[in-house]
Amino acid sequence: MSDTWINNNRLTAQISFLAEIDKLKNVLRKTFIMDGSRLENTAEHSWNVALMAVVLMEHANDTSLDLNRVIRMLLLHDLVEIDAGDTFAYDTQGYLDKEERENAAARRLFGILPEDQRGEWMDLWREFEDGETYESKYAAALDRLHPVINNHYTGGASWQKNGIVRSQVLKRLAPVKEVSDTLWSFALEILQKSIDQGILLDDPIAEEV
Amino acid sequence: MSDTWINNNRLTAQISFLAEIDKLKNVLRKTFIMDGSRLENTAEHSWNVALMAVVLMEHANDTSLDLNRVIRMLLLHDLVEIDAGDTFAYDTQGYLDKEERENAAARRLFGILPEDQRGEWMDLWREFEDGETYESKYAAALDRLHPVINNHYTGGASWQKNGIVRSQVLKRLAPVKEVSDTLWSFALEILQKSIDQGILLDDPIAEEV
């Protein structure tokens, strides 16, 4: 972006950043939107999980968590996909260099911002990726739960298209178990119902996960 | 939604609500995404303005504003469009019954939530609509600035398609003038640049707005 805005370096950098993150609207996920008409993009997904965090907050085992930090984390957690692409949750090959690709993306993208902001955004993204704080675990739980709900309501569209079985989904849902008994029960029920309806395949190792 | 989840009425209502708000991804705006390839939907827009609020916060004249409330307001401010549709900013006919349509939409949509949450969401939406608090003015400023930036970067795609002239855009941008000298200067500059580039039509009454 070559424009300089009102001779203000900070604003110019920030507008460049905003022009850049618009690209997240063109990153397609493997999950369908709920009417099944098309794949979801990552910008929509980010909006969706941020609102989920607000709606479902009461079900966190520790409701003293900082919801505002969770919301911000979820809004920016997938920006790196602009460079690194969406790595499908069950793509073991893609996961091999996912971290490296995403680190480079974070450096480039957040690097567009003025220096003090850069650090703030990078820290939030890093917190989400590290998954050590309770806030990042709760954020991850919603990030993992979201495609499961969408899959259930679209007749398992993405599960079936990609041959996903219960044990794989259960493994992805681990953060849910860590942060919320209620949401974990819900997750188990939605998977069982999906299997009963024949929209998710069961597999022998599911019991052990 | 007929499912009942883990015999938990609150969660069941919340999941119904989440299934409902997914529909915002199918509400198309009149603005294009920045690569000009397609119209933007309202879910993406909501994500975008929430992040804009964070990025541009320092430019608010009063930086003591409650940014967390702004973010939540922006995430939910357009949910009513699920029922009421997107009313184009320059559609004077559509604006005649916009309030009525959106009030009914808010009652139905937020009415899906458990009662205590319903009130909270309704209050935040009402605050945005009333535009009396500083937070709601700052939120509105970003909501109005966003399509202007996108128009500029897409060669005035939506302005030209809809025959929009400078005075109309200036009028829409009034909340920006109220909350931020820096963003107001930026808005004036982006409009002037757009006119110089021939992507926005000037008009005689622009000076008086």
Side-chain angles (χ1 to χ4, degrees), chain B residues 175-190:
Chain B
V176 179
K177 190 173 185 176
E178 257 192 284
V179 299
S180 168
D181 298 339
T182 306
L183 294 180
W184 181 241
S185 300
F186 166 65
L188 293 180
E189 191 180 17
I190 205 168

Side-chain angles (χ1 to χ4, degrees), chain A residues 51-121:
Chain A
L51 278 187
M52 276 178 77
V54 181
V55 175
L56 300 176
M57 159 83 174
E58 69 189 78
H59 304 299
N61 291 338
D62 179 0
T63 53
S64 72
L65 63 84
D66 181 351
L67 181 60
N68 295 317
R69 212 162 83 246
V70 171
I71 295 171
R72 291 189 201 196
M73 227 182 276
L74 285 169
L75 288 175
L76 67 79
H77 80 291
D78 272 340
L79 282 176
V80 291
E81 293 186 3
I82 289 169
D83 287 356
D86 175 53
T87 306
F88 187 39
Y90 307 103
D91 172 7
T92 42
Q93 199 63 30
Y95 261 75
L96 290 179
D97 65 344
K98 179 174 182 280
E99 192 177 333
E100 195 182 317
R101 281 182 289 121
E102 294 193 344
N103 277 328
R107 278 193 302 274
R108 185 188 76 78
L109 277 165
F110 302 137
I112 302 172
L113 287 167
E115 208 172 322
D116 53 324
Q117 275 186 315
R118 188 180 307 170
E120 227 176 276
W121 287 62

